[in-house]
Amino acid sequence: MDTGWVKLHRQVMTSEVWPDSDLFHLFSWCVMKAQWKESDRKGVAGYGSFYTSRQSGSEEMHWTPSKWYRAIERLRDLEMIQVDANSNRTR
């Protein structure tokens, strides 16, 4: 998933994530992780979503799991992302 490009609207510069470099970094990570098309494969996230866990997400970001979780919750509270979590994974 390290090929291709993503579009980022200039409006993000006026959002609450812009002045917080960690939050912007995580938001950008989420945008780049999201599926760009529907998938027919079972267990694969649909368009605009992706699966991760606190452990794998924090490892990819090189953060502690608690920092990653707090930042994900902040993005959710700002309505920048939607979170659908269970005991096994987060979508």
Side-chain angles (χ1 to χ4, degrees):
M1 185 183 289
D2 58 349
T3 61
W5 51 272
V6 297
K7 290 183 180 183
L8 188 60
H9 198 283
R10 287 183 176 95
Q11 188 175 14
V12 76
M13 293 173 65
T14 61
S15 73
E16 291 186 50
V17 301
W18 183 255
D20 184 333
S21 61
D22 284 342
L23 207 54
F24 180 71
H25 188 190
L26 180 61
F27 175 71
S28 300
W29 177 82
C30 289
V31 169
M32 289 184 269
K33 294 286 285 184
Q35 294 288 329
W36 61 274
K37 66 179 182 177
E38 285 293 331
S39 176
D40 295 337
R41 296 188 342 222
K42 187 175 183 177
V44 175
Y47 176 78
S49 63
F50 65 98
Y51 290 114
T52 192
S53 68
R54 187 183 303 199
Q55 188 64 38
S56 65
S58 64
E59 287 174 4
E60 286 187 41
M61 295 290 296
H62 305 287
W63 290 356
T64 63
S66 59
K67 177 180 178 176
W68 184 87
Y69 180 75
R70 284 190 311 270
I72 284 288
E73 288 296 302
R74 180 73 176 130
L75 287 177
R76 183 185 58 98
D77 292 345
L78 291 171
E79 298 180 352
M80 301 288 290
I81 64 170
Q82 293 179 350
V83 176
D84 178 17
N86 65 32
S87 61
N88 298 321
R89 63 184 177 199
T90 302
R91 181 177 98 165

